[in-house]
Amino acid sequence: QVQLVESGGGLVHPGGSLRLSCAASRSIFFIYGGGWYRQAPGKQREVVAQISRTGTTTYVDSVKGRFTISRDNAGGTIYLQMNSLKPEDTAVYYCNVAEERSSSWWNPAVWGQGTQVTVSS
């Protein structure tokens, strides 16, 4: 099992910025792609941003133009730069392989504890 550790969350005012990091115990993101997910209280976990095996990035409409997903050269770390944060961005943020794999029964990685992002005045 590949272990995942998220970091970089915190409390920020609306309009502020945060940079999340995800470190994997093995370099897997070039093989399976990577993704950032979030779960708000009382809601299901949803995909926020993904980077494919070929480097193509996708985002949910609500974060386009504000969030940027990237990865390091070794494929063992992915990042999420979050700008112009809004209260509706408040959630626990998780990283994993891209949704195509993370949603399958044979997901090579295990879900970590996530990192809390709170946007409030």
Side-chain angles (χ1 to χ4, degrees):
Q1 293 180 309
V2 176
Q3 306 298 313
L4 301 169
V5 180
E6 301 93 344
S7 62
L11 175 64
V12 65
H13 295 308
S17 298
L18 287 172
R19 183 172 180 261
L20 307 184
S21 298
C22 170
S25 58
R26 293 169 55 190
S27 299
I28 59 173
F29 298 120
F30 280 134
I31 301 172
Y32 301 107
W36 283 95
Y37 308 78
R38 66 186 180 189
Q39 186 169 20
K43 296 184 178 180
Q44 295 291 107
R45 183 172 56 222
E46 65 174 352
V47 62
V48 176
Q50 295 184 93
I51 182 166
S52 73
R53 294 182 295 109
T54 59
T56 302
T57 59
T58 57
Y59 304 88
V60 294
D61 288 341
S62 60
V63 308
K64 287 181 178 178
R66 300 188 298 119
F67 290 11
T68 303
I69 186 172
S70 60
R71 65 188 176 197
D72 68 356
N73 292 331
T77 305
I78 58 173
Y79 306 91
L80 186 67
Q81 178 66 48
M82 305 185 295
N83 299 323
S84 302
L85 284 162
K86 304 175 180 179
E88 51 263 44
D89 295 318
T90 296
V92 177
Y93 283 71
Y94 303 87
C95 62
N96 211 297
V97 294
E99 189 177 28
E100 180 183 11
R101 298 289 178 247
S102 67
S103 61
S104 72
W105 65 269
W106 56 272
N107 181 5
V110 296
W111 294 95
Q113 296 300 306
T115 184
Q116 177 71 50
V117 172
T118 303
V119 185
S120 176
S121 298

